[in-house]
Amino acid sequence: MSPPTDSEPDGNAAYGHKPFKRSRSHFADRITADGRDGWPVEAGRYRLVVSRACPWASRSLVSRRLLGLEDALSLAVADPIQDDRSWRFTLDEGGRDPVLGIAYLSEAYEAREPGYLGGVSVPAIVDVPSGKLVTNDFQQITLDFATEWTALHRPGAPDLYPERLRDEIDEVMDGIYRDVNNGVYRAGFASGQEEYEAAYHDVFRRLDLVSERLKDQRYLVGDTLTEADIRLFTTLVRFDAVYHGHFKCNRSKLTEIPVLWAYARDLFQTPGFGDTVDFDHIKQHYYRVHTGINPTGIVPLGPDLSGWRTPHHREQRGGRPFGDGSPPE
């Protein structure tokens, strides 16, 4: 998951016992078409490391699939259960990533900056030839996928960050990030009642505003899918499974907010969204890793997931999911 530092000593047990603050990404190099940071876009050179549990990493999974970057950018999936060294590759044979040859993502951080003692977060992009971390800038990675990796996009890939709409997309995403994406964490990891209540109110105030925005339009900005929809989706899809109970964001479930529940189902059923979601990884991580707020480590059996495939009728609001393009295969 993105900062704060999941690899701090006793970091998991400390959640809920210290003020929550999300740190900035320490490694913010960019992979660009012109290679101005020393990392040019190149098919097969880089490996994207994610956890399917992490909403910040899930953005990159959705974007990678929608844009058809699977063949150009290989994928490593970390175990949703961390130990003291953070993200590990225990899902792979021999407990090592088969491409990078490492057991822990922290090894790529160490290769980039020897002696590095900060947090180890996903998403992360690693340079395969050198084994060095390139970036863990979760805010910028997907924007660069949309704008810098265009030469490697699949035919029919959507424009997820159209230039004419960027100011509006940025404004919408800023409020969603502050109050929803990060707001649920501020509530869940709050160490005091006032801190929790402020975050709780921010979450639902913003969800109400977003719900009103989506009442008469299918997508957040314009009539096609954009980066803004990806960023909201990755929080909404986790809402009832973890944020409602585990993070105490319990004014209402997503399934009790009609517009947002229909919108979330619409996205879930769109190729590139629901097919990147793993609810088991999500629940295993939050309930078993955050021992500071769930010391028993018990993972709930619910919620019932069958509703995600029910009709949503959002197509009645118009919109063209992929614009002039087409869905991924």
Side-chain angles (χ1 to χ4, degrees):
M1 209 157 288
S2 296
T5 56
D6 287 325
S7 58
E8 290 177 349
D10 301 319
N12 296 332
Y15 286 129
H17 299 282
K18 62 180 181 180
F20 172 76
K21 183 179 181 181
R22 188 171 300 283
S23 20
R24 298 178 63 184
S25 299
H26 183 74
F27 301 97
D29 285 4
R30 295 175 60 188
I31 301 169
T32 57
D34 62 7
R36 57 186 175 270
D37 283 358
W39 308 105
V41 170
E42 184 180 328
R45 176 172 175 176
Y46 306 101
R47 190 155 174 82
L48 174 65
V49 182
V50 303
S51 164
R52 295 190 185 277
C54 171
W56 318 98
S58 291
R59 296 176 179 181
S60 61
L61 282 174
V62 175
S63 178
R64 173 178 175 269
R65 176 137 162 70
L66 292 177
L67 298 173
L69 293 173
E70 292 103 322
D71 291 338
L73 178 65
S74 66
L75 181 68
V77 179
D79 192 321
I81 309 302
Q82 301 163 300
D83 64 16
D84 290 341
R85 291 184 61 181
S86 194
W87 300 110
R88 53 188 183 164
F89 296 108
T90 44
L91 300 180
D92 294 299
E93 186 176 354
R96 290 186 176 274
D97 178 76
V99 173
L100 300 173
I102 58 177
Y104 289 87
L105 178 57
S106 60
E107 295 173 59
Y109 279 67
E110 175 71 17
R112 170 66 184 272
E113 186 178 300
Y116 175 71
L117 297 175
V120 177
S121 64
V122 290
I125 299 181
V126 179
D127 178 50
V128 174
S130 68
K132 294 180 179 180
L133 176 77
V134 177
T135 177
N136 66 345
D137 190 346
F138 66 98
Q139 296 282 50
Q140 189 63 45
I141 286 173
T142 49
L143 296 181
D144 284 342
F145 283 174
T147 59
E148 298 289 339
W149 291 66
T150 52
L152 300 177
H153 287 181
R154 66 178 175 86
D159 185 353
L160 297 175
Y161 196 46
E163 192 165 359
R164 63 184 179 84
L165 296 175
R166 286 180 190 176
D167 287 346
E168 185 178 359
I169 292 171
D170 289 346
E171 181 181 3
V172 170
M173 291 194 307
D174 180 66
I176 288 172
Y177 169 76
R178 184 179 60 251
D179 297 335
V180 180
N181 300 147
N182 204 44
V184 293
Y185 282 85
R186 289 168 41 227
F189 294 150
S191 57
Q193 187 68 29
E194 290 185 6
E195 179 187 358
Y196 158 72
E197 290 186 10
Y200 171 99
H201 290 304
D202 285 344
V203 168
F204 286 102
R205 176 181 59 83
R206 182 64 58 179
L207 288 180
D208 287 343
L209 290 171
V210 170
S211 185
E212 184 65 26
R213 182 183 187 90
L214 290 167
K215 185 171 62 176
D216 298 314
Q217 63 188 61
R218 190 172 181 183
Y219 303 112
L220 282 168
V221 182
D223 67 346
T224 64
L225 292 165
T226 69
E227 176 77 12
D229 297 295
I230 295 173
R231 296 190 181 194
L232 180 57
F233 172 77
T234 57
T235 295
L236 294 184
V237 79
R238 288 162 173 77
F239 203 87
D240 288 3
V242 289
Y243 301 145
H244 178 271
H246 185 58
F247 278 179
K248 305 179 185 69
C249 295
N250 59 354
R251 188 200 73 179
S252 48
K253 297 177 181 177
L254 176 65
T255 55
E256 297 166 346
I257 309 175
V259 171
L260 288 183
W261 175 222
Y263 166 80
R265 299 201 316 276
D266 184 7
L267 295 183
F268 187 86
Q269 294 170 33
T270 299
F273 285 84
D275 48 24
T276 67
V277 175
D278 190 317
F279 283 107
D280 181 62
H281 277 213
I282 290 168
K283 294 199 298 181
Q284 291 293 324
H285 174 79
Y286 281 89
Y287 289 103
R288 293 182 62 185
V289 171
H290 298 160
T291 55
I293 55 177
N294 187 40
T296 64
I298 293 173
V299 180
L301 294 178
D304 179 4
L305 302 175
S306 60
W308 283 100
R309 291 292 181 186
T310 59
H312 53 77
H313 307 297
R314 292 283 297 177
E315 67 279 356
Q316 296 174 4
R317 288 163 176 77
R320 303 172 300 143
F322 300 96
D324 295 328
S326 59
E329 294 182 359

